[in-house]
């Protein structure tokens, strides 16, 4: 259930190769003026989503420095794409954090649904194997209530104790 097929454990060699390829492609075709410069945003997105945040930040800053080193003129217009890379990195880090929180909450919801399903199964089992036979027995005993009053009272107390025990088990879960 990973967002990307590349996991953090196996991403180092792949990202080194991909990073070098993307940087060489963009750098050799005009740097920030290249038609391929938007690949840098996509590259940083995949880095951010696949690597630890600290690694993604370091590599992204390295990408920004690489492009900065290739600038032929230093102006606000030429630096703005590099600043936008840093800003997009922050947006991607926030998106990753939100995605991870969503995955955690989804796991909690699934666990709660499983517990609820278990509780429902236990309740059905309790009703079919214990409560229904006891109630049928009590119904038969009410044919002669005077002779069976003690038995009826004990059976009702047993049912009451079992229901209280079941409610306590549900509360502790």
């Amino acid at each position: 259930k990973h967002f990307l097929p590349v996991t953090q454990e196996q991403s180092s060699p792949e990202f080194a190769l991909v990073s070098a390829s993307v940087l060489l492609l963009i750098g050799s075709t005009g740097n920030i003026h290249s038609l391929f410069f938007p690949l840098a945003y996509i590259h940083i997105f995949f880095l951010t989503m696949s690597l630890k945040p600290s690694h993604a930040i370091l590599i992204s800053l390295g990408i920004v420095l690489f492009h900065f080193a290739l600038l032929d003129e230093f102006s606000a217009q030429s630096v703005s794409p590099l600043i936008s890379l840093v800003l997009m990195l922050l947006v991607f880090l926030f998106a990753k954090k939100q995605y991870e929180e969503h995955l955690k909450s989804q796991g909690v919801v699934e666990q709660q649904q499983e517990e609820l399903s278990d509780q429902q199964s236990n309740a059905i089992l309790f009703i079919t194997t214990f409560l229904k036979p006891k109630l049928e027995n009590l119904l038969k005993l009410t044919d002669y209530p005077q002779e069976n009053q003690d038995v009826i009272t004990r059976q009702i107390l047993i049912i009451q104790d079992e229901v209280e025990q079941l409610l306590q088990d549900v509360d502790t879960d």
Side-chain angles (χ1 to χ4, degrees):
K1 289 187 170 183
H2 290 286
F3 182 66
L4 297 172
V6 179
T7 61
Q8 290 182 358
E9 293 81 28
Q10 62 185 4
S11 61
S12 308
E14 290 88 359
F15 274 111
L17 182 62
V18 169
S19 294
S21 301
V22 169
L23 290 174
L24 287 174
L25 176 68
I26 295 170
S28 66
T29 58
N31 198 18
I32 62 171
H33 304 291
S34 170
L35 291 175
F36 297 110
F37 188 74
L39 286 176
Y41 295 103
I42 296 169
H43 181 220
I44 289 176
F45 173 77
F46 283 111
L47 285 172
T48 304
M49 293 307 240
S50 299
L51 300 175
K52 295 178 184 176
S54 59
H55 294 158
I57 290 169
L58 288 174
I59 293 172
S60 297
L61 292 178
I63 291 169
V64 170
L65 288 175
F66 173 82
H67 290 297
F68 182 76
L70 292 179
L71 287 178
D72 28 333
E73 64 180 72
F74 185 76
S75 66
Q77 187 177 11
S78 62
V79 176
S80 62
L82 302 180
I83 294 172
S84 70
L85 283 176
V86 174
L87 293 176
M88 289 307 294
L89 169 66
L90 298 175
V91 170
F92 295 152
L93 286 170
F94 176 73
K96 179 180 181 175
K97 182 175 171 50
Q98 293 299 311
Y99 177 72
E100 289 173 347
E101 287 177 6
H102 171 73
L103 286 181
K104 287 179 188 176
S105 67
Q106 187 177 12
V108 168
V109 168
E110 287 174 2
Q111 182 182 8
Q112 288 174 343
Q113 287 175 342
E114 288 175 10
E115 290 174 2
L116 182 61
S117 176
D118 290 344
Q119 289 175 354
Q120 288 174 338
S121 298
N122 290 340
I124 291 170
L125 185 63
F126 172 77
I127 290 169
T128 57
T129 61
F130 178 77
L131 193 57
K132 186 177 178 187
K134 288 285 186 190
L135 291 175
E136 289 170 355
N137 190 23
L138 281 173
L139 190 58
K140 289 178 188 174
L141 291 173
T142 57
D143 291 340
Y144 304 101
Q146 295 300 339
E147 295 85 23
N148 296 323
Q149 185 174 4
D150 290 340
V151 175
I152 292 172
T153 304
R154 284 194 305 261
Q155 292 297 319
I156 291 173
L157 290 174
I158 290 172
I159 291 172
Q160 185 180 12
D161 289 343
E162 289 296 320
V163 168
E164 287 176 6
Q165 181 65 39
L166 182 66
L167 291 175
Q168 287 177 357
D169 290 345
V170 170
D171 286 340
T172 58
D173 290 341

